[in-house]
Amino acid sequence: MELHAYTQYDAVGLAGLVARGEVTAAELTEAAQAAMEAVNPRINAVVESWPAEDTPVPGSTPLAGVPFLVKDLAVSVKGRRVELGSRLAAGNVAGEDSFLMRRFRRAGLVTLGRTGTPEFAFSTTTEPLLYGATRNPWDLTRTPGGSSGGSAAAVAAGITPLAHATDAAGSIRVPAASTGLFGLKPTRGRVSLGPEADEVFNGLAVHGGLSRTVRDSAALLDLIEGPETGDPYFAQRPRRPYLEEITREPGRLRVGLVTTPWSGRAVEPAVREAALAAARLLESLGHAVEVTTVDLGVSWEEFVLANARLWCANLVQWIDGFAGASGRPVDESTVEPEMLASYAWGRGVSGVQFVRALDVRNRVARAIGAHFEAQDVLVTPTLPEVPVALGAYGRGAENADGLGWVEHLFHRSPFTAAFNVAGTPAMSVPLASDPATGMPIGVQFAAGYGREDLLFRLAAQLERAAPWAERRPAVWAGATPVA
């Protein structure tokens, strides 16, 4: 299959070709591998690739036969390395498939490799020392976001139409906004994190995906949602498939517009204008939009401190575990400076402080949940700025401790983390571009607990009204024919 043809289809479209016998899954695999060879040397999105291991039944699911990539974190592929972007975990091989990987296989996805992530996902840029920086296909000098930056760059450049991603503070939505993709963070408890974890970051982190079309993300969530044995809790199952939801109109929604983050940091004019333009588009579609403020339930300082305590205490367990398993020291030869500082700070978090952080999580969840009783959807910029240059992300935080690093991370991405703490779904939609640079700008939409159905309906309406699928980055696999 020629690359210009392969990249014209989304995942559901490719699966349809396989179901009708127009192409085979093996031919799609060959095309994806050719796309990888064509563009990955320029963007460094895929850190390891391997031959297809699965032979899905054509037409068995809406995604059967589609090439796929998994993030190098939080999902285990039997016999393959999972290194979390860290030299400390280099060479770590999974003994079994995780629950999610089993679902990817049952979904008929053909996994061909793993994508880059910052060390332990502790950043919203993807510049690990282990494999080097991932570059944004729209501008190779800029970050693709993080921590799912490798997956985002791969999908944006056309290697695969869909890839796995995770989100603990914006790590689906930030790279989606940075690379012109659609990315939805599901509700807490929607997708199992087992069997190795019941929660990641104490309920802040979730699994999901990144895609170029809304229907691909809807199809993926249909196939991976639902509890597994031993899960501590799970979200109420959807009333109907999300692929069906996107065919339904959302109705007239009560929409709140927020353009200033809880931190109070400045938002670039082009980004603010993108959010205002989205509000005008919503009004033209019949929705009721009003400027609003959202009570976080705690001060911004309390919010950041609680997140730092949860993040850094969890990091201690991960680092100690990998150090014990590998016999490697925990020092600058194995762990990056920001993570060493966060590890040291996390070792000082007491049990009482940890419980207080969980109390903050509860207060934030109650406050944001209460807001969605008055309004159906919140609209914000996904990020306060266009993607920054590679190497610039950490400036100003060179000597930060763990709290300082989390403060810096949340300064870079102040709109997204609240919905992780609250456990509510949120999505970034690629509705705009920066006039000065041509870089994509994402707009974030959030809804109440369990309301992915509402977000998918709205996303599909926006996609019809302001389509983005034909936009192409500078590095695009479809521009390269198969030799």
Side-chain angles (χ1 to χ4, degrees):
M1 188 179 194
E2 296 278 341
L3 282 184
H4 73 272
Y6 166 73
T7 54
Q8 289 301 309
Y9 290 91
D10 66 357
V12 172
L14 290 174
L17 296 178
V18 174
R20 295 189 297 274
E22 296 178 35
V23 299
T24 65
E27 288 173 320
L28 294 186
T29 292
E30 291 175 3
Q33 290 167 335
M36 196 183 306
E37 292 173 5
V39 301
N40 197 58
R42 301 179 66 189
I43 60 175
N44 193 33
V46 183
V47 299
E48 183 188 13
S49 61
W50 53 74
E53 299 175 339
D54 299 292
T55 54
V57 176
S60 57
T61 80
L63 297 177
V66 172
F68 191 65
L69 296 164
V70 294
K71 183 177 178 178
D72 183 28
L73 183 134
V75 61
S76 299
V77 184
K78 183 179 180 180
R80 298 294 178 184
R81 284 177 287 167
V82 54
E83 298 170 313
L84 295 83
S86 178
R87 292 167 296 165
L88 182 65
N92 178 62
V93 175
E96 297 291 341
D97 282 351
S98 61
F99 288 153
L100 180 61
M101 190 62 215
R102 295 175 197 172
R103 293 199 178 208
F104 288 152
R105 294 190 196 277
R106 290 200 297 268
L109 293 163
V110 181
T111 301
L112 299 175
R114 59 191 173 103
T115 60
T117 180
E119 188 171 39
F120 298 114
F122 253 64
S123 179
T124 50
T125 187
T126 303
E127 304 178 49
L129 290 179
L130 177 62
Y131 289 112
T134 298
R135 298 180 177 274
N136 194 317
W138 292 85
D139 181 342
L140 295 175
T141 69
R142 295 178 185 265
T143 176
S147 62
S148 306
S151 289
V155 173
I159 295 176
T160 58
L162 183 66
H164 165 245
T166 66
D167 193 316
S171 290
I172 289 173
R173 292 156 289 158
V174 169
S178 300
T179 60
L181 301 178
F182 176 78
L184 183 143
K185 178 199 85 69
T187 292
R188 181 182 295 143
R190 178 68 67 205
V191 180
S192 178
L193 293 155
E196 292 188 355
D198 57 356
E199 294 181 322
V200 175
F201 289 127
N202 300 97
L204 275 56
V206 295
H207 285 295
L210 287 157
S211 62
R212 295 194 293 269
T213 65
V214 173
R215 70 176 184 174
D216 280 0
S217 283
L220 181 67
L221 193 54
D222 278 337
L223 293 165
I224 64 174
E225 68 84 21
E228 294 278 2
T229 300
D231 285 353
Y233 51 77
F234 58 92
Q236 182 177 357
R237 304 294 297 275
R239 290 179 294 176
R240 59 182 69 87
Y242 296 122
L243 266 179
E244 183 179 335
E245 294 291 0
I246 64 173
T247 67
R248 294 170 173 257
E249 293 296 324
R252 188 172 189 266
L253 301 178
R254 302 166 297 168
V255 179
L257 173 64
V258 178
T259 57
T260 301
W262 289 279
S263 66
R265 74 152 286 177
V267 174
E268 289 183 356
V271 172
R272 185 174 185 275
E273 174 54 32
L276 295 175
R280 294 192 293 270
L281 176 60
L282 289 169
E283 288 180 326
S284 75
L285 294 170
H287 304 297
V289 181
E290 62 177 359
V291 176
T292 191
T293 58
V294 180
D295 178 18
L296 194 58
V298 297
S299 71
W300 181 250
E301 292 72 22
E302 287 179 283
F303 179 80
V304 173
L305 177 60
N307 275 272
R309 286 171 170 166
L310 294 176
W311 282 47
C312 294
N314 277 274
L315 180 67
V316 171
Q317 180 187 10
W318 299 346
I319 287 180
D320 285 348
F322 281 112
S326 67
R328 295 177 178 134
V330 179
D331 59 24
E332 64 277 359
S333 71
T334 59
V335 180
E336 296 176 27
E338 299 86 358
M339 294 304 93
L340 279 176
S342 298
Y343 172 76
W345 193 84
R347 287 175 64 88
V349 175
S350 72
V352 171
Q353 289 172 333
F354 192 86
V355 172
R356 286 175 181 161
L358 294 176
D359 178 64
V360 169
R361 185 190 68 177
N362 176 62
R363 283 186 279 161
V364 171
R366 303 298 178 184
I368 290 181
H371 190 93
F372 287 119
E373 294 177 1
Q375 292 183 316
D376 302 305
V377 172
L378 287 171
V379 179
T380 79
T382 305
L383 287 167
E385 58 193 356
V386 297
V388 299
L390 291 168
Y393 182 91
R395 289 177 188 164
E398 291 85 353
N399 299 311
D401 61 8
L403 174 58
W405 179 249
V406 174
E407 286 177 334
H408 184 75
L409 193 156
F410 283 17
H411 175 76
R412 290 292 191 186
S413 181
F415 289 104
T416 52
F419 303 110
N420 295 84
V421 177
T424 55
M427 63 185 181
S428 183
V429 184
L431 290 179
S433 299
D434 176 31
T437 65
M439 295 302 294
I441 296 175
V443 179
Q444 179 176 236
F445 300 80
Y449 191 88
R451 294 311 311 270
E452 291 96 328
D453 59 336
L454 181 60
L455 290 180
F456 273 124
R457 288 185 215 164
L458 178 59
Q461 184 185 54
L462 293 168
E463 189 177 34
R464 291 189 295 270
W468 57 79
E470 296 307 312
R471 300 178 194 160
R472 296 288 183 257
V475 178
W476 175 245
T480 307
V482 175

